[in-house]
Amino acid sequence: MNSSLDNLFAQPGEHQGNFQFDSRVAGVFSDMIRRSVPGYGQIINTIGDFARRFATPGSQIYDLGCSLGAATLSIRRQIEGRGCRIIAIDNSEPMLSRCREHLDAYVSDTQVDLQLCDIRQVKIENASMVVLNFTLQFLPPEDRDTLMRTIWQGLNPGGVLVLSEKLRFEDQAIQSLLDEQHLDFKRANGYSELEISQKRSAIENVLVPDTLAVHRQRLANAGFSQVEPWFQCFNFVSMVAIK
Ligand SMILES: Nc1ncnc2c1ncn2[C@@H]1O[C@H](C[S@+](CC[C@H]([NH3+])C(=O)[O-])CC(=O)[O-])[C@@H](O)[C@H]1O
Ligand SMILES: O=C(O)C(=O)Cc1ccccc1
């Protein structure tokens, strides 16, 4: 298991075309997401805290778009001895094989099923917790409502969904302000202007953010009546929704 520092977009013309979760990205992903998403470490820790509160004995926990398994690891640390099963899904093979290495590096009595498949195909049942940590934003917008209904149907009463996303804003002044603050965060983490602009072009058509209002409406339409953002920094939010 070797993970490297992210310099994927450092050279002119590098990584042209759309951003993909390929082996190059998987190899630097841990560094990339920490330097790109403000609050990522806090969100991962808090997902573990939520698991400790919500995971009921014998229930299932889903980590949809698990990447290298950061959320799954955080959850697993908090729910030992409850006979829960974690189902962690990603459709990127390089991500999933590195995820398996990370999980195998620690001993645990909690079973983790890693599944290489599209989260739009997932069956959810007997779930006390579902995690979508920066994954919904990569689904085609027209597929997002259906997934949210599937999640609501598979959650047990009292179960929790954690939904973290990059946000878009209707107000242009707010959009520019929070976008600029996010860019400053990336600059402060050592990304050059070239890296920032090349990555921005690569993710433009791949990561399609919704507004907070759209998220709230989608969650309400799916059946969630208790919804609240528990974390926001600039254009990144993490919401909690209880069935
Ligand atoms: N349709 C899909 N089906 C399955 N997986 C998908 C799909 N679309 C995208 N992915 C997967 O969703 C993940 C998104 S990253 C999640 C971080 C993680 N949750 C973390 O807590 O570290 C967020 C980011 O890169 O900003 C990638 O691993 C994709 O392969
Ligand atoms: O880097 C960015 O600008 C982002 O919006 C976050 C991100 C983090 C990791 C992969 C893709 C997008």
Side-chain angles (χ1 to χ4, degrees):
M1 176 178 15
N2 52 11
S3 46
S4 315
L5 300 183
D6 170 25
N7 61 1
L8 293 187
F9 296 93
Q11 299 304 318
E14 238 183 295
H15 216 100
Q16 278 178 353
N18 281 343
F19 185 88
Q20 290 183 327
F21 292 100
D22 56 17
S23 59
R24 280 162 46 98
V25 167
V28 302
F29 187 72
S30 187
D31 179 61
M32 173 185 278
I33 196 153
R34 277 170 203 286
R35 288 164 65 206
S36 305
V37 176
Y40 176 77
Q42 157 116 48
I43 292 170
I44 289 295
N45 286 337
T46 304
I47 286 172
D49 295 340
F50 285 150
R52 194 176 60 229
R53 290 181 190 280
F54 284 92
T56 52
S59 65
Q60 312 207 98
I61 296 175
Y62 292 79
D63 181 6
L64 305 179
C66 61
S67 298
L68 303 181
T72 287
L73 277 167
S74 175
I75 292 166
R76 198 176 62 168
R77 270 200 300 275
Q78 299 289 350
I79 60 163
E80 291 295 288
R82 296 191 201 181
C84 293
R85 184 158 75 125
I86 305 176
I87 296 148
I89 298 177
D90 207 288
N91 65 354
S92 158
E93 195 282 324
M95 284 290 194
L96 215 65
S97 56
R98 281 174 178 270
C99 181
R100 181 164 288 113
E101 290 179 27
H102 287 197
L103 291 168
D104 288 348
Y106 304 91
V107 189
S108 167
D109 70 8
T110 302
Q111 182 186 340
V112 180
D113 288 357
L114 286 187
Q115 298 179 7
L116 179 65
C117 70
D118 195 301
I119 57 170
R120 288 166 292 184
Q121 251 73 71
V122 72
K123 280 204 188 66
I124 296 187
E125 49 195 9
N126 184 26
S128 57
M129 180 174 193
V130 176
V131 174
L132 273 170
N133 201 36
F134 302 108
T135 304
L136 191 69
Q137 59 195 14
F138 292 104
L139 280 196
E142 64 273 19
D143 295 340
R144 296 177 187 180
D145 290 5
T146 308
L147 177 63
M148 210 48 79
R149 287 174 203 274
T150 303
I151 291 171
W152 190 83
Q153 282 160 8
L155 272 174
N156 295 334
V160 70
L161 164 68
V162 180
L163 172 62
S164 312
E165 290 273 292
K166 188 173 191 175
L167 289 178
R168 174 175 73 77
F169 302 91
E170 292 290 0
D171 185 282
Q172 269 321 300
I174 297 292
Q175 178 70 52
S176 305
L177 172 66
L178 298 184
D179 219 14
E180 205 43 55
Q181 286 292 141
H182 175 225
L183 296 189
D184 281 349
F185 172 85
K186 292 180 86 162
R187 291 176 183 120
N189 283 325
Y191 284 120
S192 69
E193 298 307 315
L194 181 68
E195 287 176 288
I196 289 172
S197 82
Q198 294 198 130
K199 172 144 183 227
R200 178 174 264 212
S201 321
I203 60 173
E204 208 163 44
N205 303 313
V206 179
L207 190 172
V208 182
D210 286 321
T211 62
L212 188 56
V214 166
H215 282 297
R216 281 187 176 283
Q217 191 60 56
R218 179 180 297 119
L219 288 161
N221 292 346
F224 289 101
S225 51
Q226 294 169 297
V227 177
E228 197 60 37
W230 66 268
F231 174 92
Q232 187 175 340
C233 185
F234 312 140
N235 45 354
F236 292 86
V237 71
S238 185
M239 286 161 266
V240 69
I242 301 170
K243 178 164 175 181

PDB file of all heavy atoms in Angstrom, residues 19 32 36-37 138 166 182 186 199 203 207 236, ligand 2:
ATOM      1  N   PHE A  19     -12.082  14.273 -15.638  1.00  0.00           N
ATOM      2  CA  PHE A  19     -11.558  13.642 -14.429  1.00  0.00           C
ATOM      3  C   PHE A  19     -12.138  12.233 -14.290  1.00  0.00           C
ATOM      4  O   PHE A  19     -13.331  12.021 -14.461  1.00  0.00           O
ATOM      5  CB  PHE A  19     -11.980  14.494 -13.230  1.00  0.00           C
ATOM      6  CG  PHE A  19     -11.420  14.048 -11.923  1.00  0.00           C
ATOM      7  CD1 PHE A  19     -10.186  14.501 -11.492  1.00  0.00           C
ATOM      8  CD2 PHE A  19     -12.129  13.178 -11.114  1.00  0.00           C
ATOM      9  CE1 PHE A  19      -9.668  14.105 -10.267  1.00  0.00           C
ATOM     10  CE2 PHE A  19     -11.620  12.774  -9.887  1.00  0.00           C
ATOM     11  CZ  PHE A  19     -10.383  13.244  -9.473  1.00  0.00           C
ATOM     12  N   MET A  32      -5.104  14.162  -2.072  1.00  0.00           N
ATOM     13  CA  MET A  32      -5.921  15.058  -2.898  1.00  0.00           C
ATOM     14  C   MET A  32      -7.156  15.545  -2.147  1.00  0.00           C
ATOM     15  O   MET A  32      -7.445  16.743  -2.117  1.00  0.00           O
ATOM     16  CB  MET A  32      -6.347  14.317  -4.178  1.00  0.00           C
ATOM     17  CG  MET A  32      -7.337  15.065  -5.037  1.00  0.00           C
ATOM     18  SD  MET A  32      -7.910  14.087  -6.453  1.00  0.00           S
ATOM     19  CE  MET A  32      -6.594  14.319  -7.611  1.00  0.00           C
ATOM     20  N   SER A  36      -8.090  19.320  -0.755  1.00  0.00           N
ATOM     21  CA  SER A  36      -9.099  19.951  -1.620  1.00  0.00           C
ATOM     22  C   SER A  36     -10.430  20.221  -0.946  1.00  0.00           C
ATOM     23  O   SER A  36     -11.180  21.084  -1.396  1.00  0.00           O
ATOM     24  CB  SER A  36      -9.376  19.059  -2.845  1.00  0.00           C
ATOM     25  OG  SER A  36      -8.207  18.770  -3.539  1.00  0.00           O
ATOM     26  N   VAL A  37     -10.747  19.464   0.092  1.00  0.00           N
ATOM     27  CA  VAL A  37     -12.066  19.595   0.719  1.00  0.00           C
ATOM     28  C   VAL A  37     -11.897  20.062   2.165  1.00  0.00           C
ATOM     29  O   VAL A  37     -11.468  19.291   3.034  1.00  0.00           O
ATOM     30  CB  VAL A  37     -12.823  18.245   0.676  1.00  0.00           C
ATOM     31  CG1 VAL A  37     -14.148  18.342   1.412  1.00  0.00           C
ATOM     32  CG2 VAL A  37     -13.038  17.802  -0.776  1.00  0.00           C
ATOM     33  N   PHE A 138     -21.422  13.110  -8.202  1.00  0.00           N
ATOM     34  CA  PHE A 138     -20.874  12.510  -9.422  1.00  0.00           C
ATOM     35  C   PHE A 138     -21.926  11.717 -10.216  1.00  0.00           C
ATOM     36  O   PHE A 138     -21.640  11.256 -11.315  1.00  0.00           O
ATOM     37  CB  PHE A 138     -19.687  11.587  -9.093  1.00  0.00           C
ATOM     38  CG  PHE A 138     -18.482  12.341  -8.583  1.00  0.00           C
ATOM     39  CD1 PHE A 138     -18.158  12.328  -7.239  1.00  0.00           C
ATOM     40  CD2 PHE A 138     -17.697  13.085  -9.449  1.00  0.00           C
ATOM     41  CE1 PHE A 138     -17.061  13.043  -6.753  1.00  0.00           C
ATOM     42  CE2 PHE A 138     -16.600  13.798  -8.982  1.00  0.00           C
ATOM     43  CZ  PHE A 138     -16.280  13.780  -7.630  1.00  0.00           C
ATOM     44  N   LYS A 166     -20.366  19.034  -2.402  1.00  0.00           N
ATOM     45  CA  LYS A 166     -19.982  20.385  -2.796  1.00  0.00           C
ATOM     46  C   LYS A 166     -21.270  21.100  -3.193  1.00  0.00           C
ATOM     47  O   LYS A 166     -22.147  20.485  -3.817  1.00  0.00           O
ATOM     48  CB  LYS A 166     -19.030  20.310  -3.990  1.00  0.00           C
ATOM     49  CG  LYS A 166     -18.391  21.629  -4.378  1.00  0.00           C
ATOM     50  CD  LYS A 166     -17.342  21.404  -5.460  1.00  0.00           C
ATOM     51  CE  LYS A 166     -16.496  22.635  -5.674  1.00  0.00           C
ATOM     52  NZ  LYS A 166     -15.393  22.361  -6.638  1.00  0.00           N
ATOM     53  N   HIS A 182     -12.636  28.839  -1.282  1.00  0.00           N
ATOM     54  CA  HIS A 182     -12.196  27.456  -1.502  1.00  0.00           C
ATOM     55  C   HIS A 182     -10.860  27.437  -2.255  1.00  0.00           C
ATOM     56  O   HIS A 182      -9.952  26.675  -1.915  1.00  0.00           O
ATOM     57  CB  HIS A 182     -13.276  26.673  -2.275  1.00  0.00           C
ATOM     58  CG  HIS A 182     -12.853  25.285  -2.643  1.00  0.00           C
ATOM     59  ND1 HIS A 182     -13.060  24.735  -3.885  1.00  0.00           N
ATOM     60  CD2 HIS A 182     -12.194  24.335  -1.922  1.00  0.00           C
ATOM     61  CE1 HIS A 182     -12.550  23.504  -3.908  1.00  0.00           C
ATOM     62  NE2 HIS A 182     -12.030  23.238  -2.741  1.00  0.00           N
ATOM     63  N   LYS A 186      -7.158  25.834  -1.250  1.00  0.00           N
ATOM     64  CA  LYS A 186      -6.292  24.966  -2.055  1.00  0.00           C
ATOM     65  C   LYS A 186      -4.893  25.582  -2.212  1.00  0.00           C
ATOM     66  O   LYS A 186      -3.884  24.881  -2.128  1.00  0.00           O
ATOM     67  CB  LYS A 186      -6.931  24.696  -3.415  1.00  0.00           C
ATOM     68  CG  LYS A 186      -8.185  23.831  -3.313  1.00  0.00           C
ATOM     69  CD  LYS A 186      -8.855  23.546  -4.646  1.00  0.00           C
ATOM     70  CE  LYS A 186      -8.256  22.352  -5.310  1.00  0.00           C
ATOM     71  NZ  LYS A 186      -9.120  21.777  -6.360  1.00  0.00           N
ATOM     72  N   LYS A 199      -7.306  21.184 -12.831  1.00  0.00           N
ATOM     73  CA  LYS A 199      -8.244  20.265 -12.171  1.00  0.00           C
ATOM     74  C   LYS A 199      -9.672  20.761 -12.345  1.00  0.00           C
ATOM     75  O   LYS A 199     -10.590  19.983 -12.581  1.00  0.00           O
ATOM     76  CB  LYS A 199      -7.917  20.107 -10.686  1.00  0.00           C
ATOM     77  CG  LYS A 199      -8.995  19.311  -9.959  1.00  0.00           C
ATOM     78  CD  LYS A 199      -8.483  18.428  -8.882  1.00  0.00           C
ATOM     79  CE  LYS A 199      -9.572  17.606  -8.241  1.00  0.00           C
ATOM     80  NZ  LYS A 199      -9.534  17.607  -6.794  1.00  0.00           N
ATOM     81  N   ILE A 203     -12.834  18.529 -13.763  1.00  0.00           N
ATOM     82  CA  ILE A 203     -14.013  18.070 -12.996  1.00  0.00           C
ATOM     83  C   ILE A 203     -15.297  18.793 -13.405  1.00  0.00           C
ATOM     84  O   ILE A 203     -16.391  18.399 -12.970  1.00  0.00           O
ATOM     85  CB  ILE A 203     -13.837  18.194 -11.448  1.00  0.00           C
ATOM     86  CG1 ILE A 203     -13.584  19.624 -11.022  1.00  0.00           C
ATOM     87  CG2 ILE A 203     -12.772  17.269 -10.942  1.00  0.00           C
ATOM     88  CD1 ILE A 203     -13.583  19.787  -9.504  1.00  0.00           C
ATOM     89  N   LEU A 207     -18.335  16.608 -11.899  1.00  0.00           N
ATOM     90  CA  LEU A 207     -18.891  16.908 -10.569  1.00  0.00           C
ATOM     91  C   LEU A 207     -19.906  18.035 -10.759  1.00  0.00           C
ATOM     92  O   LEU A 207     -19.526  19.174 -11.037  1.00  0.00           O
ATOM     93  CB  LEU A 207     -17.752  17.344  -9.639  1.00  0.00           C
ATOM     94  CG  LEU A 207     -18.011  17.492  -8.137  1.00  0.00           C
ATOM     95  CD1 LEU A 207     -16.701  17.748  -7.398  1.00  0.00           C
ATOM     96  CD2 LEU A 207     -19.035  18.532  -7.776  1.00  0.00           C
ATOM     97  N   PHE A 236     -18.776  23.567   0.790  1.00  0.00           N
ATOM     98  CA  PHE A 236     -18.857  22.142   1.130  1.00  0.00           C
ATOM     99  C   PHE A 236     -19.769  21.972   2.343  1.00  0.00           C
ATOM    100  O   PHE A 236     -19.617  22.689   3.342  1.00  0.00           O
ATOM    101  CB  PHE A 236     -17.470  21.570   1.433  1.00  0.00           C
ATOM    102  CG  PHE A 236     -16.605  21.521   0.199  1.00  0.00           C
ATOM    103  CD1 PHE A 236     -15.856  22.620  -0.186  1.00  0.00           C
ATOM    104  CD2 PHE A 236     -16.585  20.390  -0.606  1.00  0.00           C
ATOM    105  CE1 PHE A 236     -15.086  22.587  -1.344  1.00  0.00           C
ATOM    106  CE2 PHE A 236     -15.825  20.343  -1.754  1.00  0.00           C
ATOM    107  CZ  PHE A 236     -15.068  21.448  -2.128  1.00  0.00           C
TER     108      PHE A 236
HETATM  109  O1  LIG B   2     -10.786  19.779  -5.877  1.00  0.00           O
HETATM  110  C1  LIG B   2     -11.864  20.343  -5.947  1.00  0.00           C
HETATM  111  O2  LIG B   2     -11.968  21.477  -6.445  1.00  0.00           O
HETATM  112  C2  LIG B   2     -13.095  19.728  -5.465  1.00  0.00           C
HETATM  113  O3  LIG B   2     -14.117  20.236  -5.719  1.00  0.00           O
HETATM  114  C3  LIG B   2     -13.095  18.524  -4.611  1.00  0.00           C
HETATM  115  C4  LIG B   2     -12.667  17.242  -5.225  1.00  0.00           C
HETATM  116  C5  LIG B   2     -11.839  16.422  -4.470  1.00  0.00           C
HETATM  117  C6  LIG B   2     -11.411  15.219  -4.997  1.00  0.00           C
HETATM  118  C7  LIG B   2     -11.809  14.809  -6.262  1.00  0.00           C
HETATM  119  C8  LIG B   2     -12.654  15.622  -7.009  1.00  0.00           C
HETATM  120  C9  LIG B   2     -13.103  16.827  -6.474  1.00  0.00           C
END
